[in-house]
Structures are given as C-alpha cells and as structure tokens.
Amino acid sequence: MTVLVLGAGVIGVAAAWFLRAAGHDVRVVERREGAALESSFANAGQVSAHLADPWSNPGTLRQLPRWLLQPDAPLVWRPRLRADQWRWLALFLRECTRPRYARNLLQLCAFGYYSRETLRALRAETGIRYDFHQGGILLFHTHAEAFDQASAAARKLEAHGIKRRVCSREECVTIEPALAHMRESIAGGIYSPYDETGDAHQFSLALARLGEERGIGFDYGVTVKRLILEGGEVKGAEVVRADGRSEVLRADQTVVCMGPHSAQLLASVGVPVNIYPVKGYSITMPIRDEAAALRIGITDAAVKVAFSRLGGRIRATSTAEVADFDLGVDRRRCEALVAHVQRLFPGAGDASQAAFWAGLRPTTPSNLPYIGRTKVPGLMVNAGHGTVGWTQACGSGRALAEILAGHRPEVDFPFLGVT
Ligand SMILES: Cc1cc2nc3c(=O)[nH]c(=O)nc-3n(C[C@H](O)[C@H](O)[C@H](O)COP(=O)(O)OP(=O)(O)OC[C@H]3O[C@@H](n4cnc5c(N)ncnc54)[C@H](O)[C@@H]3O)c2cc1C
C-alpha cells in the first residue's frame, strides 16, 4: 500500500518507520528543511510513561482562579476571538471532573507504557542514539500537603500496574544526589524508576536517516495545501514545493501528523478534532560542573517545571499558555527557567550560553491523542499528543500500522476506527 505521511515531527517520523516496517511504500512531506524543527525540537525530553498526568484534572480546576490572576502561573489563558479556543477550553473543563480524569489518566499511562516498551525495542533493534538515559524520573514536592495527596494517589494507582514509588526526602536525594543541597526543603517525591529521558529532535533525525536507508522517502521544504477528496475518499494531498511549484501526491492512505496544525486540514474534509496549540518554553544550557548537574529526569511539582539531562546539556521547560499559534519567546519566562536551574543545580550549567525556545503542544482537552482511521476512507490521523508526544511517538506509530493492518493494538486506549 502507498502511504503519505503529512508532517515530520517526532510523531510523523515514528509513524513512517512503523508503516515501512509493516511493508508499506511510505513517503513523508514536511514544510520545514528537516525533521522535528517545530513542537518536537526542544521539549523537556522526558519519556514519562508512568508519571504522565492529564492537565485536565480536579486540581487544575481548583487552582484555576488563582492562576488566572498570577502573571507567572504555570497555566495561562490568553483569550482570543477564536471559536476553537473557547470550545477547546469548555471541553477541557469538562475533562477535569474526577471520573473523566481517572479514565484519562489510566489510558494515558497504559499507552505510555506500550509506547516506552516500543521505543526500547526499537533501540535494541537499531542501536539508535539520542542522548538517552534510563534512570527514571523523579517528581519532587516541596509542600507536605501536596506530597501526601500525590502519595495517596500513587498507592491507589499501583493496583492498576502503574509504578510510582513514594520516596522520603532522603530517598529523593539518594536517587538524585544533585538535590542534596536543598534536602531540607523537599517534602518527598514520587519516582517512576523505569521512565527515561532523551532528545526528541536527535531521535527524529536519526530515525529519519535510518528510515531513508530502509526506503522511506522524505520530502522537506514541501507544504501541504489541501487533501485530495474524490468520490468521498481521500486520495492524497496537493503540496507546494519551496520553488512555488504545486504538485498532487497520490496515495492509498494519507496520515495527518501535523501536530498543532492538524485540526484545520482535517476540518477541511469534514473531520472535526479538538486539537489546540498550548505554548511552552524551554531553555538548554551546556553543563559546566558534572558533579552539580542532574543525572535523571526531574520535575519540580510545585511550579510544574521539568528538567532533563541530555548528554552534556541541561534542559528545563515550563508553562502552558493557551493563546494561539504565535511562537514568540517570552524572555522573562525563559530567564526564570535559567534562574530555576541555577537554584536547583547551583553551578551546574553555563547560563551565559542558555538557548531559549518556544513550542506549541498539540493538545486535546483530555490529553489523549487521536490515532487511527477517520470516517473518511483513505484518511488517518495521528495527532494531538499534547504534553506527551515524545513519550507516545513510537507507540502511536506502531499502533497506527497495526490498525492499518486491521488489528486492534493490545492496549486499553480509545483508538479511532477500531471495533
Ligand atoms: C515546552 C514543551 C515541553 C514538552 N515536554 C515533553 C516531554 O518531556 N515529554 C513528552 O513526551 N512530550 C513533551 N512535549 C510534547 C511533545 O513535544 C509534542 O507532543 C510533540 O513534539 C508533538 O509532535 P508532533 O510530531 O505531533 O508535532 P510537530 O513536532 O509540531 O510536528 C508536526 C510537523 O508538521 C509540519 N507541518 C505543519 N503544517 C504543515 C503543512 N501544511 N505542510 C507540511 N508540513 C506541515 C510541521 O512543520 C512539523 O514539523 C513538550 C512540548 C513542549 C512545547
């Protein structure tokens, strides 16, 4: 079968890989000059299967009134005259109820596990390298009450096979010695020992290279203009090349993997999806003092800042800004991230060389992505991975290939078009 993959972020590249492995003739088109230059470029790097938590949860609902008044709040809403923003927000609030949150959390973790294991198998098969580290992720708390609540939740989740280890202050410092200097302010932590970290951009570049060797065609500098709809079926896409030439690319199946830009294209053929851009920031700085630097993935629960060690670099990310598609970098937010790294890991990084970045998380109200067949024959979707697209990339690609082959992926997840 010929398959056209639209978009070469980490989701599109991984999908192309698994579709090719299933024997399809795969071509990927991407408007940028290379793979993973948009949302997948400088994320937090955490492959977080068992610590992932939907943003839409009862806690968010409780804190929202305070956050709306707080200029440096982790979640910021900038109202726009856009019906899609208001609709998304209303649906997001609906997902914050306890039963919906509980269901979304279990499915997010189940799919995260499936995806993390798929990533490991791919690594074993190919030897792919991307500054990964298998040391787990530690979410530490500085407020005792929040820690007690997180501990109770972790214990309950154990019954569902979700491995979140409750750790004392001393255990946190043993797991991550770089936190020893602030031991007194740590109330405790939740540790997910089998999670990992790695650079999603490097991964995508390396996987695209391996994919090319296995026969996947990658066309960069090619922008998708519209889907070709004939007799009620999608037959490919019309694209425009960098030199302005238009071309129609035909395929048996077309897969939309355009991250935050997927919704508009899908809507053009009558497939409505609720994917809205939620902006975040990251800073990356070289490590100056190995001994002071973190070794594993860390999240500071009180301020929702995530950190990773990526080879010789430290990455820190924060903020969920529900605004629009603007990619401007808020320097104050990034400078605050640099200061946070210096506070948590004093002397570890070279702040004078910190690189600032902003990216858009393609987010659904439930935090669960759309993966599978749409109601339009010939058209599939793999988008809306929000906060966990790096974690879920390999699982999404593998599941998509299985669905195309007519199988139900073996994981509790609401895939599209699967009976
Ligand atoms: C600050 C921040 C921190 C994050 N931290 C983590 C983390 O620690 N762990 C985790 O798992 N996830 C994390 N994420 C989320 C993760 O980065 C995203 O979910 C993921 O990158 C989405 O990948 P994608 O391929 O769907 O989107 P993208 O990477 O944006 O890829 C979509 C591609 O489609 C292309 N495209 C769009 N329109 C067109 C068109 N018309 N024609 C051709 N091509 C087009 C774009 O150029 C782009 O390359 C984070 C995100 C942010 C912003």
Side-chain angles (χ1 to χ4, degrees), residues 6-13 29-32 34-48 200 222-225 257-262 278-282 306 308 317-319 357-362 382-392:
L6 310 180
V10 69
I11 297 296
V13 172
V29 293
E30 164 58 49
R31 64 181 176 182
R32 300 292 300 266
L37 290 173
E38 301 223 340
S39 310
S40 309
F41 182 66
N43 64 28
Q46 298 190 348
V47 175
S48 177
V222 174
T223 302
V224 176
K225 284 294 166 201
C257 303
M258 287 167 25
H261 302 277
S262 303
V278 178
K279 192 174 178 179
Y281 299 99
S282 79
S308 281
T317 72
S318 71
T319 315
W357 177 77
L360 303 173
R361 303 174 186 90
N382 186 14
H385 295 75
T387 56
V388 282
W390 169 212
T391 305
Q392 295 179 342

Short mmCIF file of all heavy atoms in Angstrom, two decimals, residues 6-13 29-32 34-48 200 222-225 257-262 278-282 306 308 317-319 357-362 382-392, ligand 1:
data_model
loop_
_atom_site.label_atom_id
_atom_site.label_comp_id
_atom_site.label_asym_id
_atom_site.label_seq_id
_atom_site.Cartn_x
_atom_site.Cartn_y
_atom_site.Cartn_z
N LEU A 6 1.88 13.17 6.44
CA LEU A 6 1.97 14.64 6.38
C LEU A 6 2.55 15.16 7.69
O LEU A 6 1.89 15.10 8.73
CB LEU A 6 0.58 15.24 6.13
CG LEU A 6 -0.21 14.64 4.95
CD1 LEU A 6 -1.56 15.34 4.81
CD2 LEU A 6 0.59 14.74 3.65
N GLY A 7 3.78 15.66 7.63
CA GLY A 7 4.43 16.20 8.84
C GLY A 7 5.53 15.28 9.34
O GLY A 7 5.31 14.08 9.49
N ALA A 8 6.72 15.87 9.56
CA ALA A 8 7.86 15.07 10.05
C ALA A 8 8.32 15.55 11.41
O ALA A 8 9.50 15.80 11.64
CB ALA A 8 9.01 15.09 9.04
N GLY A 9 7.36 15.70 12.34
CA GLY A 9 7.74 15.84 13.75
C GLY A 9 8.05 14.45 14.26
O GLY A 9 8.06 13.47 13.49
N VAL A 10 8.26 14.33 15.57
CA VAL A 10 8.60 13.01 16.11
C VAL A 10 7.47 12.01 15.84
O VAL A 10 7.72 10.81 15.61
CB VAL A 10 8.95 13.11 17.62
CG1 VAL A 10 7.74 13.43 18.49
CG2 VAL A 10 9.65 11.86 18.10
N ILE A 11 6.23 12.50 15.80
CA ILE A 11 5.08 11.61 15.56
C ILE A 11 5.07 11.11 14.11
O ILE A 11 4.89 9.91 13.87
CB ILE A 11 3.76 12.37 15.89
CG1 ILE A 11 3.71 12.75 17.37
CG2 ILE A 11 2.54 11.57 15.46
CD1 ILE A 11 3.69 11.60 18.35
N GLY A 12 5.29 12.00 13.16
CA GLY A 12 5.28 11.60 11.75
C GLY A 12 6.44 10.68 11.41
O GLY A 12 6.28 9.70 10.67
N VAL A 13 7.62 10.99 11.95
CA VAL A 13 8.80 10.17 11.64
C VAL A 13 8.62 8.76 12.20
O VAL A 13 8.88 7.76 11.51
CB VAL A 13 10.09 10.84 12.22
CG1 VAL A 13 11.28 9.91 12.08
CG2 VAL A 13 10.37 12.17 11.52
N VAL A 29 6.02 14.13 3.81
CA VAL A 29 6.26 15.50 3.36
C VAL A 29 6.26 16.44 4.57
O VAL A 29 5.47 16.28 5.50
CB VAL A 29 5.22 15.99 2.31
CG1 VAL A 29 5.38 15.23 1.02
CG2 VAL A 29 3.81 15.89 2.83
N GLU A 30 7.18 17.39 4.52
CA GLU A 30 7.39 18.28 5.66
C GLU A 30 7.74 19.67 5.12
O GLU A 30 8.61 19.79 4.26
CB GLU A 30 8.52 17.71 6.53
CG GLU A 30 9.14 18.66 7.53
CD GLU A 30 8.15 19.25 8.54
OE1 GLU A 30 7.38 18.49 9.14
OE2 GLU A 30 8.15 20.50 8.69
N ARG A 31 7.08 20.69 5.66
CA ARG A 31 7.31 22.04 5.13
C ARG A 31 8.66 22.63 5.55
O ARG A 31 9.22 23.47 4.86
CB ARG A 31 6.19 22.97 5.58
CG ARG A 31 6.14 23.17 7.07
CD ARG A 31 5.00 24.07 7.46
NE ARG A 31 4.92 24.16 8.91
CZ ARG A 31 4.00 24.84 9.57
NH1 ARG A 31 3.06 25.48 8.90
NH2 ARG A 31 4.01 24.88 10.86
N ARG A 32 9.21 22.16 6.67
CA ARG A 32 10.49 22.70 7.14
C ARG A 32 11.65 22.01 6.42
O ARG A 32 11.48 21.04 5.70
CB ARG A 32 10.61 22.51 8.65
CG ARG A 32 9.51 23.21 9.46
CD ARG A 32 9.64 24.72 9.39
NE ARG A 32 10.90 25.18 9.92
CZ ARG A 32 11.12 25.57 11.17
NH1 ARG A 32 10.14 25.56 12.04
NH2 ARG A 32 12.31 25.98 11.55
N GLY A 34 13.97 20.20 7.60
CA GLY A 34 14.40 18.93 8.20
C GLY A 34 13.33 18.43 9.15
O GLY A 34 12.28 19.07 9.32
N ALA A 35 13.63 17.30 9.80
CA ALA A 35 12.65 16.70 10.72
C ALA A 35 12.68 17.39 12.08
O ALA A 35 13.71 17.91 12.51
CB ALA A 35 12.96 15.21 10.89
N ALA A 36 11.53 17.38 12.75
CA ALA A 36 11.40 17.79 14.16
C ALA A 36 11.93 19.18 14.46
O ALA A 36 12.66 19.39 15.43
CB ALA A 36 12.09 16.75 15.06
N LEU A 37 11.57 20.14 13.65
CA LEU A 37 12.02 21.51 13.91
C LEU A 37 10.92 22.36 14.56
O LEU A 37 11.13 23.53 14.82
CB LEU A 37 12.49 22.17 12.60
CG LEU A 37 13.79 21.57 12.05
CD1 LEU A 37 14.11 22.13 10.67
CD2 LEU A 37 14.94 21.82 13.00
N GLU A 38 9.75 21.74 14.80
CA GLU A 38 8.69 22.54 15.45
C GLU A 38 8.45 22.01 16.88
O GLU A 38 9.38 22.02 17.67
CB GLU A 38 7.46 22.54 14.56
CG GLU A 38 7.81 23.13 13.19
CD GLU A 38 6.82 24.10 12.62
OE1 GLU A 38 5.66 24.10 13.03
OE2 GLU A 38 7.21 24.86 11.71
N SER A 39 7.28 21.52 17.19
CA SER A 39 6.98 21.15 18.60
C SER A 39 7.95 20.11 19.16
O SER A 39 8.15 20.04 20.38
CB SER A 39 5.56 20.59 18.71
OG SER A 39 4.65 21.44 18.08
N SER A 40 8.53 19.30 18.30
CA SER A 40 9.40 18.22 18.77
C SER A 40 10.85 18.66 18.96
O SER A 40 11.72 17.84 19.26
CB SER A 40 9.37 17.04 17.78
OG SER A 40 8.05 16.68 17.48
N PHE A 41 11.13 19.94 18.78
CA PHE A 41 12.53 20.37 18.70
C PHE A 41 13.24 20.40 20.05
O PHE A 41 14.33 19.87 20.21
CB PHE A 41 12.61 21.75 18.04
CG PHE A 41 14.03 22.23 17.88
CD1 PHE A 41 14.90 21.57 17.03
CD2 PHE A 41 14.49 23.33 18.58
CE1 PHE A 41 16.22 21.99 16.88
CE2 PHE A 41 15.79 23.76 18.44
CZ PHE A 41 16.65 23.10 17.59
N ALA A 42 12.68 21.07 21.04
CA ALA A 42 13.41 21.23 22.32
C ALA A 42 12.46 21.04 23.50
O ALA A 42 12.36 21.89 24.38
CB ALA A 42 14.09 22.60 22.37
N ASN A 43 11.75 19.91 23.50
CA ASN A 43 10.84 19.64 24.62
C ASN A 43 11.62 19.18 25.85
O ASN A 43 12.85 19.12 25.81
CB ASN A 43 9.73 18.66 24.21
CG ASN A 43 10.29 17.29 23.86
OD1 ASN A 43 11.31 16.87 24.35
ND2 ASN A 43 9.60 16.61 22.96
N ALA A 44 10.91 18.82 26.90
CA ALA A 44 11.60 18.50 28.16
C ALA A 44 12.40 17.21 28.09
O ALA A 44 13.21 16.93 28.97
CB ALA A 44 10.60 18.43 29.30
N GLY A 45 12.15 16.41 27.08
CA GLY A 45 12.96 15.20 26.89
C GLY A 45 12.57 14.04 27.79
O GLY A 45 13.24 13.01 27.80
N GLN A 46 11.47 14.17 28.51
CA GLN A 46 11.08 13.09 29.42
C GLN A 46 10.20 12.06 28.72
O GLN A 46 9.15 12.42 28.17
CB GLN A 46 10.34 13.65 30.64
CG GLN A 46 11.20 14.59 31.47
CD GLN A 46 10.58 14.97 32.80
OE1 GLN A 46 9.39 14.74 33.05
NE2 GLN A 46 11.37 15.58 33.66
N VAL A 47 10.63 10.82 28.74
CA VAL A 47 9.79 9.72 28.25
C VAL A 47 9.09 9.19 29.49
O VAL A 47 9.60 8.36 30.23
CB VAL A 47 10.65 8.65 27.54
CG1 VAL A 47 9.79 7.45 27.14
CG2 VAL A 47 11.31 9.26 26.31
N SER A 48 7.92 9.76 29.71
CA SER A 48 7.27 9.65 31.01
C SER A 48 6.00 8.81 30.90
O SER A 48 4.91 9.32 30.71
CB SER A 48 6.94 11.06 31.49
OG SER A 48 6.25 11.02 32.69
N ALA A 200 14.38 14.38 21.74
CA ALA A 200 13.41 14.01 20.70
C ALA A 200 13.84 14.49 19.31
O ALA A 200 13.54 13.83 18.30
CB ALA A 200 12.04 14.60 21.04
N VAL A 222 8.35 21.13 1.70
CA VAL A 222 7.12 20.87 0.92
C VAL A 222 5.92 21.11 1.83
O VAL A 222 5.77 20.45 2.85
CB VAL A 222 7.13 19.41 0.40
CG1 VAL A 222 5.82 19.09 -0.28
CG2 VAL A 222 8.30 19.19 -0.55
N THR A 223 5.07 22.05 1.43
CA THR A 223 3.93 22.43 2.29
C THR A 223 2.64 21.81 1.76
O THR A 223 2.34 21.92 0.57
CB THR A 223 3.79 23.97 2.32
OG1 THR A 223 5.02 24.50 2.79
CG2 THR A 223 2.66 24.43 3.21
N VAL A 224 1.89 21.21 2.66
CA VAL A 224 0.60 20.63 2.29
C VAL A 224 -0.42 21.75 2.18
O VAL A 224 -0.58 22.56 3.10
CB VAL A 224 0.14 19.62 3.37
CG1 VAL A 224 -1.24 19.08 3.04
CG2 VAL A 224 1.15 18.50 3.52
N LYS A 225 -1.11 21.82 1.04
CA LYS A 225 -2.14 22.85 0.85
C LYS A 225 -3.54 22.32 1.11
O LYS A 225 -4.37 22.97 1.71
CB LYS A 225 -2.07 23.39 -0.59
CG LYS A 225 -0.91 24.34 -0.80
CD LYS A 225 -1.10 25.62 0.02
CE LYS A 225 0.18 26.41 0.09
NZ LYS A 225 0.24 27.34 1.20
N CYS A 257 -0.15 14.05 10.42
CA CYS A 257 0.71 14.09 11.62
C CYS A 257 1.26 15.51 11.74
O CYS A 257 2.47 15.71 11.91
CB CYS A 257 1.89 13.13 11.50
SG CYS A 257 1.46 11.42 11.21
N MET A 258 0.42 16.50 11.60
CA MET A 258 0.89 17.89 11.54
C MET A 258 0.79 18.60 12.89
O MET A 258 0.71 19.83 12.94
CB MET A 258 0.13 18.65 10.45
CG MET A 258 0.60 18.20 9.07
SD MET A 258 -0.41 18.69 7.64
CE MET A 258 -1.24 20.12 8.13
N GLY A 259 0.83 17.84 13.95
CA GLY A 259 0.85 18.42 15.29
C GLY A 259 -0.26 19.45 15.47
O GLY A 259 -1.43 19.19 15.17
N PRO A 260 0.09 20.65 15.96
CA PRO A 260 -0.96 21.65 16.24
C PRO A 260 -1.67 22.14 14.98
O PRO A 260 -2.72 22.77 15.08
CB PRO A 260 -0.18 22.80 16.90
CG PRO A 260 1.25 22.53 16.67
CD PRO A 260 1.43 21.08 16.36
N HIS A 261 -1.12 21.85 13.80
CA HIS A 261 -1.73 22.32 12.55
C HIS A 261 -2.65 21.27 11.92
O HIS A 261 -3.10 21.44 10.78
CB HIS A 261 -0.63 22.74 11.57
CG HIS A 261 0.25 23.81 12.14
ND1 HIS A 261 -0.08 25.15 12.09
CD2 HIS A 261 1.40 23.73 12.83
CE1 HIS A 261 0.85 25.85 12.72
NE2 HIS A 261 1.76 25.02 13.18
N SER A 262 -2.91 20.21 12.63
CA SER A 262 -3.70 19.11 12.06
C SER A 262 -5.19 19.44 11.96
O SER A 262 -5.86 19.02 11.01
CB SER A 262 -3.54 17.85 12.93
OG SER A 262 -2.18 17.50 13.04
N VAL A 278 -0.95 24.66 22.70
CA VAL A 278 -0.68 25.13 24.07
C VAL A 278 0.83 25.36 24.17
O VAL A 278 1.63 24.42 24.10
CB VAL A 278 -1.18 24.13 25.13
CG1 VAL A 278 -0.83 24.63 26.53
CG2 VAL A 278 -2.68 23.93 25.02
N LYS A 279 1.17 26.63 24.30
CA LYS A 279 2.57 27.02 24.19
C LYS A 279 3.36 26.72 25.46
O LYS A 279 2.84 26.84 26.56
CB LYS A 279 2.61 28.52 23.92
CG LYS A 279 3.94 29.06 23.49
CD LYS A 279 3.70 30.53 23.14
CE LYS A 279 4.90 31.27 22.73
NZ LYS A 279 4.57 32.67 22.40
N GLY A 280 4.62 26.33 25.26
CA GLY A 280 5.52 26.13 26.40
C GLY A 280 6.90 26.66 26.05
O GLY A 280 7.19 26.94 24.88
N TYR A 281 7.74 26.80 27.06
CA TYR A 281 9.09 27.34 26.85
C TYR A 281 10.13 26.35 27.34
O TYR A 281 9.87 25.59 28.28
CB TYR A 281 9.25 28.66 27.62
CG TYR A 281 8.28 29.71 27.15
CD1 TYR A 281 7.10 29.95 27.85
CD2 TYR A 281 8.51 30.41 25.97
CE1 TYR A 281 6.18 30.90 27.40
CE2 TYR A 281 7.60 31.35 25.52
CZ TYR A 281 6.44 31.58 26.23
OH TYR A 281 5.53 32.50 25.78
N SER A 282 11.30 26.42 26.71
CA SER A 282 12.41 25.64 27.26
C SER A 282 13.70 26.43 27.16
O SER A 282 13.83 27.34 26.34
CB SER A 282 12.56 24.29 26.52
OG SER A 282 13.22 24.43 25.29
N ALA A 306 9.93 21.03 34.42
CA ALA A 306 10.53 19.72 34.16
C ALA A 306 11.97 19.91 33.68
O ALA A 306 12.27 20.83 32.92
CB ALA A 306 9.72 18.99 33.10
N SER A 308 15.70 17.82 32.31
CA SER A 308 16.35 16.60 31.83
C SER A 308 17.82 16.87 31.66
O SER A 308 18.24 18.01 31.42
CB SER A 308 15.79 16.18 30.47
OG SER A 308 14.57 15.52 30.63
N THR A 317 11.96 23.07 31.18
CA THR A 317 10.78 23.58 30.46
C THR A 317 9.67 23.95 31.45
O THR A 317 9.61 23.43 32.56
CB THR A 317 10.19 22.53 29.50
OG1 THR A 317 9.56 21.51 30.28
CG2 THR A 317 11.23 21.91 28.61
N SER A 318 8.81 24.84 30.98
CA SER A 318 7.67 25.24 31.82
C SER A 318 6.55 25.83 30.97
O SER A 318 6.72 26.03 29.77
CB SER A 318 8.11 26.31 32.83
OG SER A 318 8.36 27.52 32.15
N THR A 319 5.46 26.14 31.62
CA THR A 319 4.36 26.96 31.11
C THR A 319 3.44 26.25 30.12
O THR A 319 3.89 25.57 29.20
CB THR A 319 4.86 28.25 30.42
OG1 THR A 319 5.86 28.86 31.21
CG2 THR A 319 3.73 29.23 30.20
N TRP A 357 13.75 28.74 23.79
CA TRP A 357 12.87 28.15 22.75
C TRP A 357 11.42 28.20 23.20
O TRP A 357 11.13 28.13 24.40
CB TRP A 357 13.30 26.70 22.52
CG TRP A 357 12.46 25.93 21.53
CD1 TRP A 357 12.51 26.02 20.17
CD2 TRP A 357 11.46 24.93 21.82
NE1 TRP A 357 11.60 25.15 19.61
CE2 TRP A 357 10.95 24.47 20.60
CE3 TRP A 357 10.96 24.39 23.00
CZ2 TRP A 357 9.96 23.49 20.51
CZ3 TRP A 357 9.96 23.42 22.92
CH2 TRP A 357 9.48 22.98 21.69
N ALA A 358 10.52 28.32 22.22
CA ALA A 358 9.08 28.19 22.50
C ALA A 358 8.50 27.17 21.53
O ALA A 358 8.89 27.13 20.35
CB ALA A 358 8.38 29.53 22.32
N GLY A 359 7.59 26.35 22.00
CA GLY A 359 6.96 25.35 21.14
C GLY A 359 5.49 25.21 21.49
O GLY A 359 5.05 25.60 22.58
N LEU A 360 4.73 24.66 20.54
CA LEU A 360 3.28 24.51 20.73
C LEU A 360 2.94 23.04 20.94
O LEU A 360 3.20 22.22 20.05
CB LEU A 360 2.52 25.02 19.50
CG LEU A 360 2.80 26.48 19.11
CD1 LEU A 360 2.12 26.80 17.77
CD2 LEU A 360 2.31 27.43 20.20
N ARG A 361 2.38 22.72 22.07
CA ARG A 361 1.94 21.34 22.29
C ARG A 361 0.59 21.16 21.58
O ARG A 361 -0.34 21.92 21.85
CB ARG A 361 1.74 21.06 23.78
CG ARG A 361 2.97 21.29 24.64
CD ARG A 361 2.59 21.11 26.10
NE ARG A 361 3.66 21.43 27.02
CZ ARG A 361 3.87 22.65 27.54
NH1 ARG A 361 3.09 23.66 27.21
NH2 ARG A 361 4.85 22.85 28.39
N PRO A 362 0.47 20.17 20.71
CA PRO A 362 -0.83 19.93 20.04
C PRO A 362 -1.76 19.21 21.01
O PRO A 362 -1.70 17.99 21.13
CB PRO A 362 -0.45 19.04 18.86
CG PRO A 362 0.89 18.46 19.19
CD PRO A 362 1.52 19.22 20.31
N ASN A 382 -2.92 10.95 13.29
CA ASN A 382 -2.00 10.61 14.39
C ASN A 382 -1.53 11.96 14.93
O ASN A 382 -0.46 12.44 14.58
CB ASN A 382 -0.84 9.78 13.81
CG ASN A 382 0.10 9.25 14.87
OD1 ASN A 382 -0.22 9.28 16.06
ND2 ASN A 382 1.26 8.78 14.46
N ALA A 383 -2.33 12.56 15.78
CA ALA A 383 -2.05 13.94 16.21
C ALA A 383 -2.76 14.23 17.53
O ALA A 383 -3.68 13.52 17.93
CB ALA A 383 -2.52 14.92 15.14
N GLY A 384 -2.30 15.30 18.18
CA GLY A 384 -2.94 15.75 19.42
C GLY A 384 -2.30 15.15 20.66
O GLY A 384 -2.97 14.91 21.66
N HIS A 385 -0.99 14.94 20.61
CA HIS A 385 -0.31 14.25 21.71
C HIS A 385 0.06 15.15 22.89
O HIS A 385 0.61 14.67 23.88
CB HIS A 385 0.94 13.55 21.17
CG HIS A 385 0.64 12.45 20.19
ND1 HIS A 385 0.24 12.71 18.90
CD2 HIS A 385 0.64 11.11 20.33
CE1 HIS A 385 0.03 11.55 18.28
NE2 HIS A 385 0.27 10.57 19.12
N GLY A 386 -0.22 16.43 22.77
CA GLY A 386 -0.10 17.35 23.89
C GLY A 386 1.21 17.30 24.63
O GLY A 386 2.28 17.46 24.05
N THR A 387 1.11 17.02 25.95
CA THR A 387 2.29 17.07 26.82
C THR A 387 3.19 15.85 26.68
O THR A 387 4.28 15.83 27.23
CB THR A 387 1.82 17.11 28.29
OG1 THR A 387 0.98 15.99 28.52
CG2 THR A 387 1.05 18.38 28.60
N VAL A 388 2.72 14.82 25.98
CA VAL A 388 3.47 13.55 26.00
C VAL A 388 3.75 12.97 24.60
O VAL A 388 3.82 11.75 24.42
CB VAL A 388 2.74 12.49 26.87
CG1 VAL A 388 2.98 12.74 28.34
CG2 VAL A 388 1.26 12.44 26.56
N GLY A 389 3.92 13.84 23.62
CA GLY A 389 4.13 13.36 22.25
C GLY A 389 5.43 12.60 22.08
O GLY A 389 5.50 11.64 21.29
N TRP A 390 6.44 13.00 22.79
CA TRP A 390 7.73 12.29 22.70
C TRP A 390 7.57 10.91 23.33
O TRP A 390 7.95 9.89 22.75
CB TRP A 390 8.79 13.15 23.38
CG TRP A 390 10.15 12.60 23.66
CD1 TRP A 390 10.93 12.95 24.71
CD2 TRP A 390 10.94 11.66 22.89
NE1 TRP A 390 12.13 12.28 24.67
CE2 TRP A 390 12.15 11.49 23.56
CE3 TRP A 390 10.71 10.93 21.73
CZ2 TRP A 390 13.15 10.62 23.11
CZ3 TRP A 390 11.71 10.06 21.27
CH2 TRP A 390 12.90 9.92 21.95
N THR A 391 6.93 10.86 24.48
CA THR A 391 6.69 9.60 25.17
C THR A 391 5.90 8.64 24.26
O THR A 391 6.16 7.44 24.22
CB THR A 391 5.88 9.85 26.46
OG1 THR A 391 6.58 10.81 27.24
CG2 THR A 391 5.66 8.59 27.25
N GLN A 392 4.92 9.18 23.56
CA GLN A 392 3.97 8.32 22.85
C GLN A 392 4.30 8.10 21.37
O GLN A 392 3.55 7.42 20.68
CB GLN A 392 2.57 8.93 22.95
CG GLN A 392 2.05 8.97 24.38
CD GLN A 392 0.68 9.59 24.47
OE1 GLN A 392 0.26 10.28 23.55
NE2 GLN A 392 0.00 9.37 25.57
C1 LIG B 1 7.77 23.03 26.35
C2 LIG B 1 7.40 21.62 25.95
C3 LIG B 1 7.84 20.55 26.71
C4 LIG B 1 7.48 19.24 26.37
N1 LIG B 1 7.98 18.20 27.08
C5 LIG B 1 7.68 16.92 26.73
C6 LIG B 1 8.24 15.82 27.44
O1 LIG B 1 9.06 15.97 28.34
N2 LIG B 1 7.86 14.57 27.09
C7 LIG B 1 6.97 14.35 26.09
O2 LIG B 1 6.64 13.19 25.84
N3 LIG B 1 6.46 15.37 25.35
C8 LIG B 1 6.79 16.64 25.66
N4 LIG B 1 6.27 17.70 24.95
C9 LIG B 1 5.27 17.43 23.91
C10 LIG B 1 5.89 16.99 22.60
O3 LIG B 1 7.00 17.79 22.30
C11 LIG B 1 4.83 17.11 21.50
O4 LIG B 1 3.66 16.42 21.87
C12 LIG B 1 5.34 16.50 20.19
O5 LIG B 1 6.55 17.10 19.82
C13 LIG B 1 4.32 16.66 19.07
O6 LIG B 1 4.90 16.11 17.93
P1 LIG B 1 4.20 16.22 16.51
O7 LIG B 1 5.04 15.45 15.57
O8 LIG B 1 2.77 15.87 16.65
O9 LIG B 1 4.23 17.78 16.19
P2 LIG B 1 5.40 18.61 15.49
O10 LIG B 1 6.72 18.25 16.05
O11 LIG B 1 5.00 20.03 15.52
O12 LIG B 1 5.36 18.07 14.01
C14 LIG B 1 4.38 18.45 13.08
C15 LIG B 1 5.12 18.72 11.79
O13 LIG B 1 4.16 19.03 10.79
C16 LIG B 1 4.72 20.02 9.97
N5 LIG B 1 3.64 20.74 9.27
C17 LIG B 1 2.67 21.51 9.81
N6 LIG B 1 1.89 22.01 8.86
C18 LIG B 1 2.37 21.54 7.68
C19 LIG B 1 1.99 21.71 6.32
N7 LIG B 1 0.93 22.46 5.96
N8 LIG B 1 2.72 21.08 5.37
C20 LIG B 1 3.79 20.31 5.69
N9 LIG B 1 4.20 20.12 6.96
C21 LIG B 1 3.49 20.73 7.93
C22 LIG B 1 5.48 20.92 10.92
O14 LIG B 1 6.46 21.69 10.26
C23 LIG B 1 6.05 19.92 11.90
O15 LIG B 1 7.36 19.54 11.57
C24 LIG B 1 6.64 19.02 25.26
C25 LIG B 1 6.23 20.08 24.46
C26 LIG B 1 6.61 21.38 24.79
C27 LIG B 1 6.18 22.51 23.91
#
